Amino acid sequence: LARHPKHVYLDSLTCLDDTPGHLELAEKLKRMDRSYFSERKLERISLEALRILTTDSRNNLLMDRIPNLGKEELTLLSTHKASIYLNGFTELSKESARILSKKTHPLYLSGLKDLSGEAAMHLTGRKGELYLNGIETLSDGLAMALSRCSGPVMLEGLRELGNSPGHLALAKTL
């Protein structure tokens, strides 16, 4: 497939590993029109394949089915100069949040239903948009931490904001 002279439609691709054929395919996918390829179905990606895809900073990376990534992968993503969709993440450690806090372009983490205060504190210094649309309720502490974010925070799943200090502070920023 990597050597096929025309575009190939690979919307159902679920894995890009570090075998030679997959890396060659990643090179081809990097250059393809995104109407033929979407990373949304990927469930696994190797560090080397990710390194290839992130060398083209014009394209957003939509990896909504990947449930987590290691430190090296997250470090690589934190330097990518386009939006990153990690909506498959259902939890975010403080270490992962620290690494992703360096990302200045939009970061989508809408698979998260909750976020620890420590992870939120790491994300507060981000300059780009932060999408946390899966969060439905916020503790006062988490609301206060999110109110201190440098960039916009999107909380489209949030049901309500209370009258506590953190909720009131966050309401002023939304």
Side-chain angles (χ1 to χ4, degrees), residues 6-154:
K6 305 250 183 200
H7 288 298
V8 289
Y9 186 76
L10 293 172
D11 199 38
S12 296
L13 186 66
T14 60
C15 176
L16 272 175
D17 60 32
D18 59 0
T19 60
H22 276 221
L23 296 178
E24 194 173 343
L25 182 59
E27 285 286 350
K28 180 177 180 93
L29 296 173
K30 174 182 78 172
R31 296 184 304 272
M32 278 178 49
D33 178 329
R34 289 301 202 205
S35 63
Y36 293 94
F37 166 66
S38 168
E39 310 87 38
R40 281 197 192 271
K41 301 259 175 103
L42 281 179
E43 296 171 3
R44 293 186 325 271
I45 188 167
S46 71
L47 177 61
E48 289 307 312
L50 187 59
R51 186 171 282 126
I52 290 167
L53 291 178
T54 56
T55 58
D56 183 357
S57 61
R58 296 170 296 157
N59 288 317
N60 297 332
L61 291 175
L62 304 108
M63 299 184 293
D64 287 341
R65 292 198 180 184
I66 294 178
N68 58 38
L69 290 168
K71 182 179 177 180
E72 289 178 285
E73 289 88 352
L74 291 172
T75 300
L76 184 59
L77 287 175
S78 72
T79 64
H80 186 62
K81 302 215 180 317
S83 298
I84 303 271
Y85 292 74
L86 296 173
N87 294 323
F89 280 37
T90 56
E91 56 185 49
L92 188 69
S93 70
K94 65 181 180 180
E95 177 65 14
S96 295
R98 184 189 64 73
I99 294 167
L100 290 172
S101 71
K102 295 170 177 62
K103 174 133 187 65
T104 57
H105 293 78
L107 176 61
Y108 291 78
L109 294 166
S110 293
L112 297 176
K113 301 292 182 205
D114 195 13
L115 188 63
S116 74
E118 292 174 319
M121 291 306 292
H122 284 294
L123 294 174
T124 59
R126 290 192 70 257
K127 304 240 184 302
E129 293 124 6
L130 178 60
Y131 291 82
L132 298 170
N133 296 327
I135 293 179
E136 297 177 353
T137 60
L138 294 171
S139 67
D140 187 59
L142 181 53
M144 184 61 81
L146 292 175
S147 75
R148 295 182 179 125
C149 281
S150 299
V153 179
M154 310 304 169

